[in-house]
Amino acid sequence: MAKSRADLDTKLVRRLKSSIEHHLTYTLGCQDPDTVSDLERYTAVVCAIKEQATDALNATDRRVRDENGKRVYYLSMEFLIGRLLANNLHNLGIYSECANATQKLGFELADILETELDPALGNGGLGRLAACFLDSMATIGIPGYGYGINYEYGLFRQSFVDGTQREHPDHWMIHGSPWQTERSFKAIHVPVYGRVDHTLGSNGQYHPVWVDWDTLVGVPHDMPVVGYGGETVNYLRLYSARSSDSFDMEIFNQGDYINAVQQKIQTETVSKVLYPSDSIEAGKELRLIQEYFFVACALRDILRQHEEVYALAELPNQVAIQLNDTHPALAVVELMRILIDEKDLQWDTAWDITTRTLAFTNHTLLPEALEKWPVELIKRVLPRHLELIYEVNRRFLDQVRNAYPGDDMRLRKMSIIEEEPIRQVRMANLSIVGSHSVNGVAALHTELLKAELVPEFDSFYPKKFNNKTNGVTQRRWLMACNPGLSDAIEDAIGDDWVTNLFKLRDLERLQSDSAFLEHLSRVKHANKEALANYIFETTRINVNPASIFDVQIKRIHEYKRQLLNALHIAHLYFAIVEDGHQLQSPRTFVFSGKAAPGYYIAKLIIKFINNLATIIN
């Protein structure tokens, strides 16, 4: 058996080596092996690995179709997926074979891993949660697919000038992404703006028609999501905005060709940048269009796939759509619009299908952080959807009025429309009303959600609210990023923890095992030495690897307490230099994080931390 495994490994190494050579020559057109760059080598390796991932993805799709499996679609404005090559090699179980193949080609896998740019498709916990869910679903064999926007530019690239944060374009797609496969033949046409004609249908019933709209074209780009073990590979489908084939012919015929082309180019800004500033009206409008754009693309694509096999009425039985926060909340009324305006379903039937298909994840307990959109803005950008929002709200408030007669305060709190200070659409309320399930992301968070944020909804929908605690993907954050610790754990208790994190409890019996503790200590010190070397290479500051490393990595924000941490450091410093106190152990403090470009206090906190570092260092 051992020889058979060795033979398989040898064949796999040869196959990988051959595939990498093929892509270097024919995909990238490299002629002289001595002049090939690390970026070209990285791209060729990715192309070779993507072949295996694509085979597994196609096999997964066939299996799901054969088994009539229910599919999960995860709609999110962010997917913070991280660099993929090492992660996918680990999940496919071929990391060492790929390293062997690259060695035979004269270069080290570890070297080319550093050329991979982090996909700038998110900026925080919401995006990382989405990425973790995709990884977990693929690992346990659930056909689960992500839908989002293929941002050309990320949040921003950070530098410091005199301790002050400076922002630069984060053009992560500057060389393209070899992980992505463009599927232009599955492009989606998305209407925006226009007006609603209030007409009667052939049956004499009211039949509004959305007309005179502009068109955005969403072009999907697929990235494989490899589950651990390689048995299930799903995809993350990201849409880029493209202009339609048609010009504004009135402008074109007037001879203003440049203006006609410029209008087409402007439509492509929809997928240019992650989270445009909404501090000005144009930024708000672009953000709203972004949210509708990816929701419309996703729902159209999901329905296309569903109706290839099943009747429309089977949608809730075959499809589950999860809304990650309120950014995809327009899915409620977009699905209703399609079912009513295009599929000719009656309201009650369409509403039943919609609410049984959609579910909603809430992420915040701060009332002021809940997303709201001015009614006038939605009316201008999505006139038909505003009509549907009004109708959803009217029917919902009738139900609330019947359940709680005379309770006008409850009606005002639960209404999807906020009346003051300006009329706005409450996207959280819309998401709750339009979903069959609403979850928080931690036990305490969910209880506070029900008791403090939306208690009126919890009493009205006593079975709708539930909890789904956020977790971590140990395959990335332990196995892949800390191989020394991963190997030490595997030597001690086996590798079942890779897919069942509770198995780490088996380490408790080793808490007095001196040999195991010594092994952990060596691993930890090696990692600290590696970090100390990196700090010196990038900052020319010497760090003592034997010191206590106190590390805080988060978005810079007042409530995340970086300022409190920095004030503690200042206190320790003054206690040493002014009061003559001695630390029990030397300490090294490391901060990592970005402040939003317009967040003045957060940028001031960064300045304070850098000034503090200048003095202390």
Side-chain angles (χ1 to χ4, degrees):
M1 182 66 70
K3 183 178 178 182
S4 174
R5 172 63 183 169
D7 289 343
L8 287 173
D9 288 349
T10 302
K11 288 181 180 178
L12 178 56
V13 170
R14 285 201 301 264
R15 191 164 78 245
L16 286 171
K17 177 177 177 291
S18 176
S19 181
I20 295 168
E21 287 177 314
H22 172 87
H23 286 292
L24 281 170
T25 302
Y26 297 104
T27 303
L28 301 174
C30 298
Q31 298 176 347
D32 184 354
D34 295 329
T35 62
V36 175
S37 68
D38 281 347
L39 179 60
E40 288 169 321
R41 288 171 175 144
Y42 157 77
T43 303
V45 171
V46 170
C47 290
I49 302 308
K50 199 167 78 167
E51 290 178 2
Q52 297 209 16
T54 300
D55 288 341
L57 190 153
N58 292 335
T60 298
D61 186 65
R62 287 191 297 270
R63 184 171 70 247
V64 173
R65 287 180 178 271
D66 291 343
E67 297 173 356
N68 292 322
K70 188 171 186 176
R71 297 173 185 245
V72 178
Y73 297 98
Y74 199 84
L75 273 56
S76 178
M77 281 283 278
E78 296 184 40
F79 287 94
L80 202 56
I81 55 178
R83 295 189 288 186
L84 294 173
L85 179 52
N87 189 71
N88 286 345
L89 287 171
H90 280 296
N91 282 359
L92 287 167
I94 59 172
Y95 188 96
S96 61
E97 288 80 6
C98 186
N100 195 344
T102 59
Q103 276 188 333
K104 291 180 181 300
L105 288 167
F107 62 95
E108 296 295 327
L109 177 61
D111 292 336
I112 68 163
L113 290 177
E114 294 305 311
T115 67
E116 183 172 14
L117 296 178
D118 200 324
L121 300 169
N123 66 62
L126 180 144
R128 186 56 218 161
L129 171 68
C132 284
F133 269 124
L134 295 187
D135 178 280
S136 296
M137 285 191 290
T139 295
I140 62 176
I142 293 176
Y145 311 91
Y147 279 82
I149 296 177
N150 195 33
Y151 302 106
E152 187 175 337
Y153 289 89
L155 187 64
F156 60 86
R157 187 168 50 81
Q158 182 190 58
S159 68
F160 301 107
V161 177
D162 294 329
T164 300
Q165 174 180 288
R166 290 288 184 263
E167 298 90 27
H168 309 275
D170 183 10
H171 195 186
W172 76 281
M173 290 284 288
I174 189 168
H175 301 296
S177 172
W179 289 111
Q180 291 193 348
T181 301
E182 181 178 312
R183 302 191 183 279
S184 55
F185 53 89
K186 291 185 178 178
I188 306 291
H189 287 73
V190 178
V192 288
Y193 300 111
R195 59 186 175 82
V196 178
D197 269 355
H198 302 281
T199 61
L200 298 180
S202 57
N203 57 3
Q205 298 295 314
Y206 174 58
H207 185 75
V209 180
W210 187 9
V211 297
D212 293 342
W213 28 259
D214 295 338
T215 301
L216 301 173
V217 178
V219 178
H221 295 75
D222 289 356
M223 304 177 80
V225 178
V226 181
Y228 183 73
E231 290 296 317
T232 297
V233 176
N234 297 322
Y235 59 77
L236 169 59
R237 183 159 287 175
L238 303 169
Y239 284 88
S240 295
R242 298 285 185 268
S243 57
S244 66
D245 290 335
S246 59
F247 287 107
D248 185 325
M249 291 308 297
E250 184 175 348
I251 296 176
F252 189 78
N253 290 335
Q254 290 172 358
D256 195 349
Y257 177 79
I258 298 300
N259 191 21
V261 173
Q262 190 172 17
Q263 283 196 357
K264 290 172 67 65
I265 292 172
Q266 286 174 347
T267 66
E268 301 187 7
T269 62
V270 171
S271 59
K272 279 290 183 194
V273 64
L274 170 70
Y275 279 20
S277 171
D278 58 4
S279 59
I280 58 175
E281 195 62 33
K284 289 181 179 179
E285 188 164 325
L286 176 56
R287 178 72 173 273
L288 177 63
I289 292 173
Q290 278 188 330
E291 293 186 2
Y292 176 62
F293 169 74
F294 99 89
V295 160
C297 289
L299 288 180
R300 184 75 65 183
D301 193 57
I302 292 167
L303 288 172
R304 175 191 59 77
Q305 294 181 64
H306 174 76
E307 291 187 288
E308 287 175 356
V309 183
Y310 305 102
L312 191 58
E314 289 297 306
L315 189 69
N317 300 322
Q318 295 300 136
V319 167
I321 299 175
Q322 190 73 31
L323 311 179
N324 191 27
D325 210 6
T326 54
H327 309 131
L330 287 168
V332 176
V333 283
E334 172 65 3
L335 185 53
M336 286 294 290
R337 186 191 69 80
I338 294 172
L339 295 177
I340 293 172
D341 292 0
E342 299 181 17
K343 305 295 183 181
D344 294 324
L345 297 185
Q346 294 299 307
W347 182 278
D348 289 344
T349 302
W351 187 247
D352 178 65
I353 290 174
T354 296
T355 55
R356 288 169 56 211
T357 302
L358 300 179
F360 167 55
T361 297
N362 167 270
H363 282 269
T364 184
L365 292 171
L366 300 173
E368 63 272 19
L370 293 176
E371 194 175 26
K372 301 172 186 176
W373 288 106
V375 163
E376 287 303 314
L377 178 58
I378 295 181
K379 182 179 180 179
R380 182 168 72 253
V381 176
L382 302 169
R384 177 59 178 142
H385 295 76
L386 183 61
E387 289 188 347
L388 291 167
I389 290 170
Y390 279 147
E391 183 62 15
V392 168
N393 196 44
R394 183 189 70 79
R395 292 171 181 252
F396 168 65
L397 291 183
D398 282 347
Q399 295 175 340
V400 177
R401 198 175 285 112
N402 290 335
Y404 303 97
D407 194 342
D408 292 339
M409 180 60 73
R410 183 181 294 267
L411 285 174
R412 284 195 291 272
K413 287 183 177 180
M414 298 181 73
S415 174
I416 295 170
I417 305 298
E418 180 179 83
E419 299 293 339
E420 296 177 343
I422 63 170
R423 300 197 83 200
Q424 298 189 96
V425 178
R426 296 163 165 161
M427 305 309 276
N429 291 20
L430 176 62
S431 301
I432 293 169
V433 173
S435 300
H436 68 274
S437 173
V438 179
N439 72 277
V441 292
L444 178 60
H445 170 245
T446 299
E447 290 308 309
L448 290 172
L449 171 68
K450 295 192 294 183
E452 302 289 340
L453 188 65
V454 288
E456 296 82 9
F457 282 100
D458 183 47
S459 62
F460 188 72
Y461 295 120
K463 297 181 180 179
K464 183 174 284 194
F465 289 81
N466 58 89
N467 179 60
K468 300 291 186 295
T469 298
N470 278 2
V472 297
T473 302
Q474 68 270 27
R475 289 167 292 281
R476 177 180 287 274
W477 299 119
L478 178 50
M479 184 185 71
C481 77
N482 198 340
L485 180 57
S486 175
D487 291 344
I489 294 173
E490 186 173 332
D491 290 344
I493 62 171
D495 63 358
D496 288 348
W497 60 269
V498 176
T499 53
N500 182 359
L501 199 56
F502 290 105
K503 289 292 184 179
L504 290 181
R505 297 293 298 268
D506 291 347
L507 291 172
E508 291 177 352
R509 59 181 169 81
L510 300 173
Q511 58 186 303
S512 300
D513 187 314
S514 59
F516 178 67
L517 295 178
E518 176 60 29
H519 191 174
L520 291 185
S521 181
R522 290 196 304 271
V523 170
K524 184 175 184 178
H525 189 73
N527 287 339
K528 291 173 73 176
E529 284 187 323
L531 178 55
N533 290 335
Y534 179 79
I535 291 173
F536 181 76
E537 290 170 3
T538 54
T539 69
R540 313 314 289 179
I541 296 172
N542 279 305
V543 165
N544 178 9
S547 65
I548 294 173
F549 281 16
D550 189 324
V551 182
Q552 187 176 14
I553 303 176
K554 280 182 175 292
R555 281 287 295 277
I556 308 299
H557 203 297
E558 290 166 277
Y559 83 88
K560 293 185 186 293
R561 296 178 289 191
Q562 288 99 344
L563 179 58
L564 186 63
N565 192 357
L567 290 172
H568 172 239
I569 297 170
H571 167 72
L572 291 178
Y573 173 73
F574 286 125
I576 294 168
V577 300
E578 294 186 355
D579 302 332
H581 291 178
Q582 293 291 320
L583 295 179
Q584 290 183 331
S585 301
R587 300 170 75 96
T588 298
F589 292 90
V590 178
F591 290 85
S592 179
K594 295 177 179 179
Y599 194 168
Y600 175 75
I601 296 298
K603 297 177 86 168
L604 210 56
I605 291 170
I606 287 178
K607 173 70 170 173
F608 174 58
I609 292 170
N610 281 330
N611 287 355
L612 197 61
T614 299
I615 294 170
I616 294 173
N617 293 341

